[in-house]
Each structure stands twice: as structure tokens, then as C-alpha cells.
Amino acid sequence: MSDTVKTGPYDLFALALSIFGLLLLGFRASVPMDEESRQLFDLCDLVLCAFFFVDFLRSLARAENRWRYLRGWGLLDLAASIPA
């Protein structure tokens, strides 16, 4: 069995969303903004977290061994779905 990881378009999309989310949080934390802009940033964060939660559920459902997945990357995937 090979240990290589296949990266497809979905994985690249999820990576791009991860980077976008980190940039979004960094920008929100470092730049002063009005309440309306802050609410928009919070809404974007919430949408990203919803995507990552659905991705976590998808990965959990597809895992051959769910306990092994949860002990490995699963908890990190679940933590990514917690809104800032």
C-alpha cells in the first residue's frame, strides 16, 4: 500500500479556503474597523467554519476506520470548524 497522498481540485480548494480564512482572521485582528465591517468578517468566518464542519463530516463518513481518523487528522479538522 502506498503512503502517497493524492491531491485533487477539492483539496486545493479547501487549502485555498484555509489560507483565505487565516488571512481574514489576521486582517480582522490587526486592522481597526467599524462594526459593520467586523460583522461582515464574522459572517465570512462563520461560512468558512460551516464549510470545514461539513468537510469534517464528509471525511468522517468516508473514513475506513473512523476512530483512527478521529485520533489522527479528525480532531484537527473538527477544530478548524470552530468559529473565531
PDB file of all heavy atoms in Angstrom, residues 14 17-18 21-22 25 44-56 69 73-84:
ATOM      1  N   ALA A  14     -10.019  23.509  -0.736  1.00  0.00           N
ATOM      2  CA  ALA A  14     -10.050  23.561   0.727  1.00  0.00           C
ATOM      3  C   ALA A  14      -8.789  24.247   1.262  1.00  0.00           C
ATOM      4  O   ALA A  14      -8.860  25.016   2.228  1.00  0.00           O
ATOM      5  CB  ALA A  14     -10.183  22.160   1.310  1.00  0.00           C
ATOM      6  N   LEU A  17      -9.227  27.945   0.748  1.00  0.00           N
ATOM      7  CA  LEU A  17     -10.140  28.488   1.759  1.00  0.00           C
ATOM      8  C   LEU A  17      -9.470  28.595   3.120  1.00  0.00           C
ATOM      9  O   LEU A  17      -9.724  29.542   3.870  1.00  0.00           O
ATOM     10  CB  LEU A  17     -11.399  27.628   1.870  1.00  0.00           C
ATOM     11  CG  LEU A  17     -12.450  27.818   0.797  1.00  0.00           C
ATOM     12  CD1 LEU A  17     -13.654  26.922   1.071  1.00  0.00           C
ATOM     13  CD2 LEU A  17     -12.894  29.254   0.693  1.00  0.00           C
ATOM     14  N   SER A  18      -8.622  27.643   3.452  1.00  0.00           N
ATOM     15  CA  SER A  18      -7.881  27.692   4.717  1.00  0.00           C
ATOM     16  C   SER A  18      -6.972  28.910   4.773  1.00  0.00           C
ATOM     17  O   SER A  18      -6.938  29.632   5.773  1.00  0.00           O
ATOM     18  CB  SER A  18      -7.040  26.431   4.901  1.00  0.00           C
ATOM     19  OG  SER A  18      -7.836  25.302   4.953  1.00  0.00           O
ATOM     20  N   GLY A  21      -9.048  32.021   5.089  1.00  0.00           N
ATOM     21  CA  GLY A  21      -9.555  32.174   6.452  1.00  0.00           C
ATOM     22  C   GLY A  21      -8.493  32.704   7.404  1.00  0.00           C
ATOM     23  O   GLY A  21      -8.777  33.557   8.254  1.00  0.00           O
ATOM     24  N   LEU A  22      -7.271  32.208   7.277  1.00  0.00           N
ATOM     25  CA  LEU A  22      -6.178  32.702   8.131  1.00  0.00           C
ATOM     26  C   LEU A  22      -5.870  34.167   7.838  1.00  0.00           C
ATOM     27  O   LEU A  22      -5.659  34.961   8.765  1.00  0.00           O
ATOM     28  CB  LEU A  22      -4.930  31.850   7.932  1.00  0.00           C
ATOM     29  CG  LEU A  22      -5.019  30.433   8.485  1.00  0.00           C
ATOM     30  CD1 LEU A  22      -3.800  29.628   8.061  1.00  0.00           C
ATOM     31  CD2 LEU A  22      -5.161  30.450   9.995  1.00  0.00           C
ATOM     32  N   LEU A  25      -8.703  36.300   9.353  1.00  0.00           N
ATOM     33  CA  LEU A  25      -8.590  36.468  10.806  1.00  0.00           C
ATOM     34  C   LEU A  25      -7.424  37.379  11.180  1.00  0.00           C
ATOM     35  O   LEU A  25      -7.538  38.189  12.097  1.00  0.00           O
ATOM     36  CB  LEU A  25      -8.439  35.105  11.476  1.00  0.00           C
ATOM     37  CG  LEU A  25      -9.676  34.230  11.451  1.00  0.00           C
ATOM     38  CD1 LEU A  25      -9.365  32.867  12.055  1.00  0.00           C
ATOM     39  CD2 LEU A  25     -10.827  34.883  12.172  1.00  0.00           C
ATOM     40  N   CYS A  44     -18.196  35.959   7.220  1.00  0.00           N
ATOM     41  CA  CYS A  44     -17.293  35.180   6.362  1.00  0.00           C
ATOM     42  C   CYS A  44     -16.649  34.050   7.161  1.00  0.00           C
ATOM     43  O   CYS A  44     -16.539  32.917   6.668  1.00  0.00           O
ATOM     44  CB  CYS A  44     -16.213  36.079   5.767  1.00  0.00           C
ATOM     45  SG  CYS A  44     -16.811  37.197   4.503  1.00  0.00           S
ATOM     46  N   ASP A  45     -16.242  34.329   8.384  1.00  0.00           N
ATOM     47  CA  ASP A  45     -15.648  33.303   9.239  1.00  0.00           C
ATOM     48  C   ASP A  45     -16.654  32.200   9.529  1.00  0.00           C
ATOM     49  O   ASP A  45     -16.323  31.016   9.487  1.00  0.00           O
ATOM     50  CB  ASP A  45     -15.141  33.935  10.536  1.00  0.00           C
ATOM     51  CG  ASP A  45     -14.492  32.930  11.463  1.00  0.00           C
ATOM     52  OD1 ASP A  45     -13.609  32.171  10.997  1.00  0.00           O
ATOM     53  OD2 ASP A  45     -14.853  32.908  12.656  1.00  0.00           O
ATOM     54  N   LEU A  46     -17.877  32.560   9.789  1.00  0.00           N
ATOM     55  CA  LEU A  46     -18.925  31.581  10.071  1.00  0.00           C
ATOM     56  C   LEU A  46     -19.187  30.683   8.860  1.00  0.00           C
ATOM     57  O   LEU A  46     -19.325  29.464   8.996  1.00  0.00           O
ATOM     58  CB  LEU A  46     -20.209  32.295  10.497  1.00  0.00           C
ATOM     59  CG  LEU A  46     -21.320  31.424  11.041  1.00  0.00           C
ATOM     60  CD1 LEU A  46     -20.865  30.708  12.305  1.00  0.00           C
ATOM     61  CD2 LEU A  46     -22.542  32.264  11.325  1.00  0.00           C
ATOM     62  N   VAL A  47     -19.217  31.270   7.674  1.00  0.00           N
ATOM     63  CA  VAL A  47     -19.430  30.484   6.450  1.00  0.00           C
ATOM     64  C   VAL A  47     -18.261  29.525   6.230  1.00  0.00           C
ATOM     65  O   VAL A  47     -18.456  28.347   5.893  1.00  0.00           O
ATOM     66  CB  VAL A  47     -19.636  31.410   5.232  1.00  0.00           C
ATOM     67  CG1 VAL A  47     -19.587  30.641   3.925  1.00  0.00           C
ATOM     68  CG2 VAL A  47     -20.949  32.169   5.357  1.00  0.00           C
ATOM     69  N   LEU A  48     -17.046  30.001   6.444  1.00  0.00           N
ATOM     70  CA  LEU A  48     -15.872  29.134   6.304  1.00  0.00           C
ATOM     71  C   LEU A  48     -15.916  27.984   7.310  1.00  0.00           C
ATOM     72  O   LEU A  48     -15.613  26.837   6.963  1.00  0.00           O
ATOM     73  CB  LEU A  48     -14.583  29.936   6.490  1.00  0.00           C
ATOM     74  CG  LEU A  48     -14.172  30.821   5.333  1.00  0.00           C
ATOM     75  CD1 LEU A  48     -12.965  31.680   5.730  1.00  0.00           C
ATOM     76  CD2 LEU A  48     -13.845  30.001   4.104  1.00  0.00           C
ATOM     77  N   CYS A  49     -16.297  28.282   8.531  1.00  0.00           N
ATOM     78  CA  CYS A  49     -16.375  27.237   9.556  1.00  0.00           C
ATOM     79  C   CYS A  49     -17.446  26.211   9.218  1.00  0.00           C
ATOM     80  O   CYS A  49     -17.254  25.011   9.448  1.00  0.00           O
ATOM     81  CB  CYS A  49     -16.626  27.853  10.924  1.00  0.00           C
ATOM     82  SG  CYS A  49     -15.195  28.758  11.538  1.00  0.00           S
ATOM     83  N   ALA A  50     -18.561  26.659   8.654  1.00  0.00           N
ATOM     84  CA  ALA A  50     -19.609  25.731   8.237  1.00  0.00           C
ATOM     85  C   ALA A  50     -19.079  24.808   7.137  1.00  0.00           C
ATOM     86  O   ALA A  50     -19.335  23.597   7.153  1.00  0.00           O
ATOM     87  CB  ALA A  50     -20.834  26.495   7.752  1.00  0.00           C
ATOM     88  N   PHE A  51     -18.329  25.369   6.180  1.00  0.00           N
ATOM     89  CA  PHE A  51     -17.732  24.546   5.134  1.00  0.00           C
ATOM     90  C   PHE A  51     -16.808  23.491   5.737  1.00  0.00           C
ATOM     91  O   PHE A  51     -16.862  22.319   5.368  1.00  0.00           O
ATOM     92  CB  PHE A  51     -16.957  25.416   4.139  1.00  0.00           C
ATOM     93  CG  PHE A  51     -16.112  24.607   3.197  1.00  0.00           C
ATOM     94  CD1 PHE A  51     -16.675  24.012   2.086  1.00  0.00           C
ATOM     95  CD2 PHE A  51     -14.760  24.433   3.440  1.00  0.00           C
ATOM     96  CE1 PHE A  51     -15.903  23.248   1.222  1.00  0.00           C
ATOM     97  CE2 PHE A  51     -13.975  23.671   2.589  1.00  0.00           C
ATOM     98  CZ  PHE A  51     -14.551  23.072   1.467  1.00  0.00           C
ATOM     99  N   PHE A  52     -15.936  23.907   6.672  1.00  0.00           N
ATOM    100  CA  PHE A  52     -14.988  22.973   7.259  1.00  0.00           C
ATOM    101  C   PHE A  52     -15.682  21.925   8.142  1.00  0.00           C
ATOM    102  O   PHE A  52     -15.211  20.791   8.239  1.00  0.00           O
ATOM    103  CB  PHE A  52     -13.894  23.707   8.035  1.00  0.00           C
ATOM    104  CG  PHE A  52     -12.929  24.405   7.119  1.00  0.00           C
ATOM    105  CD1 PHE A  52     -12.738  25.768   7.212  1.00  0.00           C
ATOM    106  CD2 PHE A  52     -12.233  23.710   6.159  1.00  0.00           C
ATOM    107  CE1 PHE A  52     -11.852  26.410   6.363  1.00  0.00           C
ATOM    108  CE2 PHE A  52     -11.351  24.341   5.300  1.00  0.00           C
ATOM    109  CZ  PHE A  52     -11.164  25.699   5.402  1.00  0.00           C
ATOM    110  N   PHE A  53     -16.804  22.267   8.757  1.00  0.00           N
ATOM    111  CA  PHE A  53     -17.547  21.275   9.535  1.00  0.00           C
ATOM    112  C   PHE A  53     -18.167  20.229   8.613  1.00  0.00           C
ATOM    113  O   PHE A  53     -18.113  19.030   8.899  1.00  0.00           O
ATOM    114  CB  PHE A  53     -18.618  21.944  10.400  1.00  0.00           C
ATOM    115  CG  PHE A  53     -19.329  20.975  11.289  1.00  0.00           C
ATOM    116  CD1 PHE A  53     -18.660  20.363  12.344  1.00  0.00           C
ATOM    117  CD2 PHE A  53     -20.656  20.653  11.074  1.00  0.00           C
ATOM    118  CE1 PHE A  53     -19.310  19.452  13.166  1.00  0.00           C
ATOM    119  CE2 PHE A  53     -21.313  19.751  11.884  1.00  0.00           C
ATOM    120  CZ  PHE A  53     -20.635  19.149  12.935  1.00  0.00           C
ATOM    121  N   VAL A  54     -18.739  20.676   7.507  1.00  0.00           N
ATOM    122  CA  VAL A  54     -19.300  19.730   6.533  1.00  0.00           C
ATOM    123  C   VAL A  54     -18.186  18.859   5.959  1.00  0.00           C
ATOM    124  O   VAL A  54     -18.360  17.651   5.770  1.00  0.00           O
ATOM    125  CB  VAL A  54     -20.066  20.480   5.420  1.00  0.00           C
ATOM    126  CG1 VAL A  54     -20.441  19.552   4.277  1.00  0.00           C
ATOM    127  CG2 VAL A  54     -21.303  21.152   5.997  1.00  0.00           C
ATOM    128  N   ASP A  55     -17.016  19.456   5.707  1.00  0.00           N
ATOM    129  CA  ASP A  55     -15.870  18.694   5.216  1.00  0.00           C
ATOM    130  C   ASP A  55     -15.438  17.649   6.246  1.00  0.00           C
ATOM    131  O   ASP A  55     -15.108  16.518   5.883  1.00  0.00           O
ATOM    132  CB  ASP A  55     -14.712  19.641   4.898  1.00  0.00           C
ATOM    133  CG  ASP A  55     -13.501  18.914   4.363  1.00  0.00           C
ATOM    134  OD1 ASP A  55     -13.623  18.224   3.321  1.00  0.00           O
ATOM    135  OD2 ASP A  55     -12.420  19.025   4.980  1.00  0.00           O
ATOM    136  N   PHE A  56     -15.448  18.017   7.518  1.00  0.00           N
ATOM    137  CA  PHE A  56     -15.123  17.066   8.590  1.00  0.00           C
ATOM    138  C   PHE A  56     -16.109  15.896   8.581  1.00  0.00           C
ATOM    139  O   PHE A  56     -15.704  14.731   8.642  1.00  0.00           O
ATOM    140  CB  PHE A  56     -15.133  17.765   9.953  1.00  0.00           C
ATOM    141  CG  PHE A  56     -15.193  16.820  11.109  1.00  0.00           C
ATOM    142  CD1 PHE A  56     -14.075  16.097  11.499  1.00  0.00           C
ATOM    143  CD2 PHE A  56     -16.371  16.638  11.816  1.00  0.00           C
ATOM    144  CE1 PHE A  56     -14.127  15.205  12.561  1.00  0.00           C
ATOM    145  CE2 PHE A  56     -16.441  15.758  12.880  1.00  0.00           C
ATOM    146  CZ  PHE A  56     -15.309  15.038  13.251  1.00  0.00           C
ATOM    147  N   TYR A  69      -9.262   7.829  12.171  1.00  0.00           N
ATOM    148  CA  TYR A  69      -9.356   9.176  11.595  1.00  0.00           C
ATOM    149  C   TYR A  69      -9.484  10.233  12.689  1.00  0.00           C
ATOM    150  O   TYR A  69      -8.818  11.262  12.651  1.00  0.00           O
ATOM    151  CB  TYR A  69     -10.541   9.260  10.628  1.00  0.00           C
ATOM    152  CG  TYR A  69     -10.847  10.667  10.190  1.00  0.00           C
ATOM    153  CD1 TYR A  69     -10.009  11.346   9.318  1.00  0.00           C
ATOM    154  CD2 TYR A  69     -11.966  11.338  10.669  1.00  0.00           C
ATOM    155  CE1 TYR A  69     -10.285  12.647   8.930  1.00  0.00           C
ATOM    156  CE2 TYR A  69     -12.249  12.628  10.284  1.00  0.00           C
ATOM    157  CZ  TYR A  69     -11.399  13.279   9.415  1.00  0.00           C
ATOM    158  OH  TYR A  69     -11.670  14.573   9.051  1.00  0.00           O
ATOM    159  N   TRP A  73      -6.047  13.020  11.972  1.00  0.00           N
ATOM    160  CA  TRP A  73      -6.371  14.370  11.494  1.00  0.00           C
ATOM    161  C   TRP A  73      -7.765  14.827  11.881  1.00  0.00           C
ATOM    162  O   TRP A  73      -8.077  16.016  11.779  1.00  0.00           O
ATOM    163  CB  TRP A  73      -6.235  14.408   9.972  1.00  0.00           C
ATOM    164  CG  TRP A  73      -4.820  14.367   9.522  1.00  0.00           C
ATOM    165  CD1 TRP A  73      -4.147  13.293   9.011  1.00  0.00           C
ATOM    166  CD2 TRP A  73      -3.879  15.434   9.576  1.00  0.00           C
ATOM    167  NE1 TRP A  73      -2.856  13.630   8.733  1.00  0.00           N
ATOM    168  CE2 TRP A  73      -2.661  14.948   9.073  1.00  0.00           C
ATOM    169  CE3 TRP A  73      -3.945  16.749   9.993  1.00  0.00           C
ATOM    170  CZ2 TRP A  73      -1.524  15.724   8.975  1.00  0.00           C
ATOM    171  CZ3 TRP A  73      -2.816  17.531   9.893  1.00  0.00           C
ATOM    172  CH2 TRP A  73      -1.620  17.018   9.395  1.00  0.00           C
ATOM    173  N   GLY A  74      -8.607  13.923  12.310  1.00  0.00           N
ATOM    174  CA  GLY A  74     -10.004  14.254  12.573  1.00  0.00           C
ATOM    175  C   GLY A  74     -10.207  15.364  13.586  1.00  0.00           C
ATOM    176  O   GLY A  74     -11.012  16.272  13.373  1.00  0.00           O
ATOM    177  N   LEU A  75      -9.486  15.298  14.685  1.00  0.00           N
ATOM    178  CA  LEU A  75      -9.650  16.349  15.697  1.00  0.00           C
ATOM    179  C   LEU A  75      -9.174  17.702  15.193  1.00  0.00           C
ATOM    180  O   LEU A  75      -9.773  18.731  15.511  1.00  0.00           O
ATOM    181  CB  LEU A  75      -8.914  15.958  16.983  1.00  0.00           C
ATOM    182  CG  LEU A  75      -9.530  14.784  17.736  1.00  0.00           C
ATOM    183  CD1 LEU A  75      -8.698  14.467  18.979  1.00  0.00           C
ATOM    184  CD2 LEU A  75     -10.969  15.073  18.114  1.00  0.00           C
ATOM    185  N   LEU A  76      -8.126  17.702  14.402  1.00  0.00           N
ATOM    186  CA  LEU A  76      -7.649  18.955  13.822  1.00  0.00           C
ATOM    187  C   LEU A  76      -8.679  19.501  12.821  1.00  0.00           C
ATOM    188  O   LEU A  76      -8.946  20.711  12.790  1.00  0.00           O
ATOM    189  CB  LEU A  76      -6.299  18.750  13.144  1.00  0.00           C
ATOM    190  CG  LEU A  76      -5.615  19.992  12.610  1.00  0.00           C
ATOM    191  CD1 LEU A  76      -5.310  20.960  13.742  1.00  0.00           C
ATOM    192  CD2 LEU A  76      -4.338  19.607  11.900  1.00  0.00           C
ATOM    193  N   ASP A  77      -9.259  18.610  12.022  1.00  0.00           N
ATOM    194  CA  ASP A  77     -10.309  19.022  11.095  1.00  0.00           C
ATOM    195  C   ASP A  77     -11.517  19.576  11.852  1.00  0.00           C
ATOM    196  O   ASP A  77     -12.106  20.577  11.440  1.00  0.00           O
ATOM    197  CB  ASP A  77     -10.754  17.848  10.219  1.00  0.00           C
ATOM    198  CG  ASP A  77      -9.718  17.470   9.187  1.00  0.00           C
ATOM    199  OD1 ASP A  77      -8.789  18.264   8.946  1.00  0.00           O
ATOM    200  OD2 ASP A  77      -9.841  16.372   8.615  1.00  0.00           O
ATOM    201  N   LEU A  78     -11.884  18.939  12.931  1.00  0.00           N
ATOM    202  CA  LEU A  78     -13.014  19.424  13.737  1.00  0.00           C
ATOM    203  C   LEU A  78     -12.686  20.779  14.368  1.00  0.00           C
ATOM    204  O   LEU A  78     -13.530  21.674  14.390  1.00  0.00           O
ATOM    205  CB  LEU A  78     -13.363  18.394  14.821  1.00  0.00           C
ATOM    206  CG  LEU A  78     -14.546  18.733  15.714  1.00  0.00           C
ATOM    207  CD1 LEU A  78     -15.816  18.907  14.864  1.00  0.00           C
ATOM    208  CD2 LEU A  78     -14.736  17.672  16.757  1.00  0.00           C
ATOM    209  N   ALA A  79     -11.466  20.946  14.856  1.00  0.00           N
ATOM    210  CA  ALA A  79     -11.068  22.226  15.456  1.00  0.00           C
ATOM    211  C   ALA A  79     -11.110  23.350  14.428  1.00  0.00           C
ATOM    212  O   ALA A  79     -11.408  24.509  14.765  1.00  0.00           O
ATOM    213  CB  ALA A  79      -9.677  22.117  16.054  1.00  0.00           C
ATOM    214  N   ALA A  80     -10.865  23.041  13.162  1.00  0.00           N
ATOM    215  CA  ALA A  80     -10.898  24.069  12.108  1.00  0.00           C
ATOM    216  C   ALA A  80     -12.306  24.591  11.883  1.00  0.00           C
ATOM    217  O   ALA A  80     -12.479  25.676  11.317  1.00  0.00           O
ATOM    218  CB  ALA A  80     -10.347  23.496  10.817  1.00  0.00           C
ATOM    219  N   SER A  81     -13.307  23.855  12.338  1.00  0.00           N
ATOM    220  CA  SER A  81     -14.676  24.289  12.131  1.00  0.00           C
ATOM    221  C   SER A  81     -15.227  25.130  13.278  1.00  0.00           C
ATOM    222  O   SER A  81     -16.389  25.512  13.257  1.00  0.00           O
ATOM    223  CB  SER A  81     -15.582  23.072  11.904  1.00  0.00           C
ATOM    224  OG  SER A  81     -15.694  22.307  13.076  1.00  0.00           O
ATOM    225  N   ILE A  82     -14.411  25.450  14.248  1.00  0.00           N
ATOM    226  CA  ILE A  82     -14.840  26.274  15.377  1.00  0.00           C
ATOM    227  C   ILE A  82     -14.656  27.747  15.003  1.00  0.00           C
ATOM    228  O   ILE A  82     -13.556  28.169  14.672  1.00  0.00           O
ATOM    229  CB  ILE A  82     -14.050  25.947  16.647  1.00  0.00           C
ATOM    230  CG1 ILE A  82     -14.260  24.481  17.028  1.00  0.00           C
ATOM    231  CG2 ILE A  82     -14.438  26.874  17.795  1.00  0.00           C
ATOM    232  CD1 ILE A  82     -13.365  24.011  18.138  1.00  0.00           C
ATOM    233  N   PRO A  83     -15.721  28.530  15.036  1.00  0.00           N
ATOM    234  CA  PRO A  83     -15.600  29.951  14.669  1.00  0.00           C
ATOM    235  C   PRO A  83     -14.683  30.715  15.629  1.00  0.00           C
ATOM    236  O   PRO A  83     -14.613  30.416  16.814  1.00  0.00           O
ATOM    237  CB  PRO A  83     -17.034  30.490  14.768  1.00  0.00           C
ATOM    238  CG  PRO A  83     -17.911  29.281  14.816  1.00  0.00           C
ATOM    239  CD  PRO A  83     -17.091  28.169  15.347  1.00  0.00           C
ATOM    240  N   ALA A  84     -13.979  31.671  15.061  1.00  0.00           N
ATOM    241  CA  ALA A  84     -13.109  32.513  15.888  1.00  0.00           C
ATOM    242  C   ALA A  84     -13.973  33.511  16.595  1.00  0.00           C
ATOM    243  O   ALA A  84     -13.698  34.110  17.526  1.00  0.00           O
ATOM    244  CB  ALA A  84     -12.067  33.204  15.029  1.00  0.00           C
TER     245      ALA A  84
END
